[in-house]
Amino acid sequence: MRWQQQEPKAAPAADALLSLQGVVRSVQTPAFAGVTFHEVIAKSVLNKVPKTSHMPFGWTVNPYRGCSHACVYCFARKTHSYLDLDTGADFDSQLVVKTNTGEVLRRELAKPSWKREHVAMGTNTDPYQRAEGRYKLMPDIIRALRDSGTPFSILTKGTLLARDLPLLADAAQSTPISMGISLAMLDPALASSVEPGTPSPKARLELISRIRDAGMECNVMAMPILPWLTDGDESLDALFAALAKAGASSVTAGALHLRPGAREWYRQWLARDYPQLTAKYDALFAGGTNASKEYRQWLAGRIRFFKARHGFDEANRFLSTRSAGQAGGNSSATPGTAPTPSTAAGDIRLPAAAGTLF
């Protein structure tokens, strides 16, 4: 499972992890240049979601902390600060791996107190990020959930999921499974900039088709839609057309939101790659987490329009969520006469932050 031939090496941030229980060693390898893996022996892997959460599930499993997908907008960046690591470069390159996740999960699922509630994966960091190709944690996780009769969902940008399609198809015969692929843009150059460690949009479209060919539903999380970058009619029309052609079962789409940790990292990226947009973003977000209510309502209207154009049922979506800014909110925009983001971002009043599956 692990790189037995690799010698443990001190990493710039390794000392910050010494207080984390269960750390066995830190590993670097040329195949993952610039990335350090901190291998952990976990005591528990089932995470209870607080009852106050907006999440539509009660439990999660996250075999990794930090993510080499390096999406600049990722809301989970803040969680790296709990390890005394920064939410920018460290989140992308200092990864915690719970090497015994499958073994511990099987033990927890066997307890008489376990009620076989839904378990969600990919809600914090991606279980099919590149390291999964070496650690191979997901097959044991899937088998443990399948064997216990526990329903589960997977949300990922990682095409490595294709490796486990036979196992997932088998599990789906006896266990309710929800499959979700995250894809919100088609432009490969933009995706390479804002999601530098992810598979290409084309590869993810192909994965959607492969999941459907394996006999399973495949839902898409088209989040986040980026103001002035992917929210135009041409971009939205092309996205929903491509998702429909690939065979997506449903699409849930919504606006970018920027929590602390992600907010600073995204703005740094924006200033480097799209400096002409920084003032517009400052006005649209006004230093807060969500884009203005007016913008989110406008975008929801455009999303509804293009979902209908390409045959997606408005009521059908990945699990169920009350996230702000998703398609389904009220909008005064008439299809074909949408305002531009600049006219939608006027006097801004930010609502309270809402939960997200992304």
Side-chain angles (χ1 to χ4, degrees):
M1 177 188 298
R2 288 172 285 177
W3 301 307
Q4 300 299 339
Q5 303 305 316
Q6 293 292 329
E7 291 294 328
K9 295 181 180 180
D15 290 345
L17 290 169
L18 293 178
S19 61
L20 186 66
Q21 289 188 345
V23 174
V24 175
R25 64 174 183 172
S26 296
V27 179
Q28 295 175 331
T29 175
F32 292 84
V35 177
T36 301
F37 297 95
H38 305 282
E39 297 179 349
V40 172
I41 301 299
K43 293 183 177 180
S44 177
V45 296
L46 267 176
N47 308 304
K48 177 66 175 175
V49 177
K51 292 182 178 179
T52 55
S53 171
H54 292 273
M55 297 297 101
F57 43 79
W59 298 87
T60 65
V61 170
N62 294 293
Y64 303 96
R65 296 184 69 172
C67 186
S68 60
H69 283 341
C71 304
V72 297
Y73 51 74
C74 182
F75 84 94
R77 288 183 174 278
K78 179 65 176 177
T79 62
H80 242 43
S81 67
Y82 308 154
L83 303 176
D84 291 329
L85 298 174
D86 75 59
T87 61
D90 283 350
F91 181 84
D92 303 338
S93 63
Q94 300 292 328
L95 309 184
V96 177
V97 184
K98 303 172 187 177
T99 57
N100 61 336
T101 298
E103 173 189 345
V104 175
L105 179 61
R106 185 174 290 276
R107 185 168 64 243
E108 291 180 315
L109 297 176
K111 293 180 179 179
S113 58
W114 177 243
K115 305 300 183 184
R116 296 179 176 82
E117 298 177 61
H118 184 99
V119 173
M121 290 172 283
T123 61
N124 192 43
T125 57
D126 201 313
Y128 282 105
Q129 58 181 288
R130 286 181 59 222
E132 173 60 18
R134 298 298 297 269
Y135 283 98
K136 298 181 175 62
L137 301 180
M138 285 299 292
D140 284 345
I141 293 171
I142 294 167
R143 292 187 189 100
L145 292 164
R146 176 200 63 188
D147 294 348
S148 68
T150 297
F152 64 91
S153 61
I154 297 173
L155 177 61
T156 183
K157 292 184 174 78
T159 52
L160 185 58
L161 179 143
R163 179 200 65 193
D164 295 339
L165 278 177
L167 177 59
L168 287 163
D170 174 71
Q173 299 302 309
S174 59
T175 307
I177 296 176
S178 297
M179 301 294 298
I181 300 301
S182 177
L183 177 59
M185 64 192 72
L186 297 180
D187 182 347
L190 177 60
S192 179
S193 176
V194 76
E195 304 170 343
T198 63
S200 70
K202 181 177 183 291
R204 280 178 271 171
L205 287 170
E206 292 172 352
L207 178 61
I208 293 168
S209 297
R210 292 187 66 177
I211 292 171
R212 296 308 309 272
D213 290 344
M216 292 179 285
E217 297 290 297
C218 184
N219 308 283
V220 172
M221 291 288 286
M223 301 176 72
I225 304 297
L226 306 178
W228 292 285
L229 294 172
T230 62
D231 62 352
D233 281 1
E234 183 177 350
S235 294
L236 294 172
D237 190 34
L239 175 63
F240 286 110
L243 294 176
K245 183 177 180 181
S249 308
S250 72
V251 182
T252 301
L256 173 72
H257 70 280
L258 295 171
R259 296 184 183 180
R263 180 189 308 152
E264 298 83 358
W265 198 240
Y266 184 87
R267 197 183 188 288
Q268 181 176 320
W269 168 82
L270 194 71
R272 184 190 72 226
D273 286 17
Y274 297 92
Q276 72 276 18
L277 295 181
T278 55
K280 291 182 177 181
Y281 268 78
D282 288 345
L284 186 61
F285 285 87
T289 295
N290 293 317
S292 72
K293 181 179 180 180
E294 293 84 359
Y295 174 83
R296 287 182 286 116
Q297 288 180 336
W298 165 78
L299 181 60
R302 303 315 296 150
I303 289 170
R304 283 199 306 274
F305 174 72
F306 288 110
K307 284 180 68 173
R309 170 179 281 186
H310 295 287
F312 290 108
D313 183 351
E314 177 63 23
N316 188 20
R317 59 184 62 190
F318 183 53
L319 302 180
S320 174
T321 180
R322 293 170 285 178
S323 295
Q326 289 181 359
N330 295 326
S331 174
S332 59
T334 302
T337 60
T340 64
S342 59
T343 60
D347 184 29
I348 298 170
R349 295 292 185 271
L350 292 174
T356 178
L357 290 174
F358 189 71

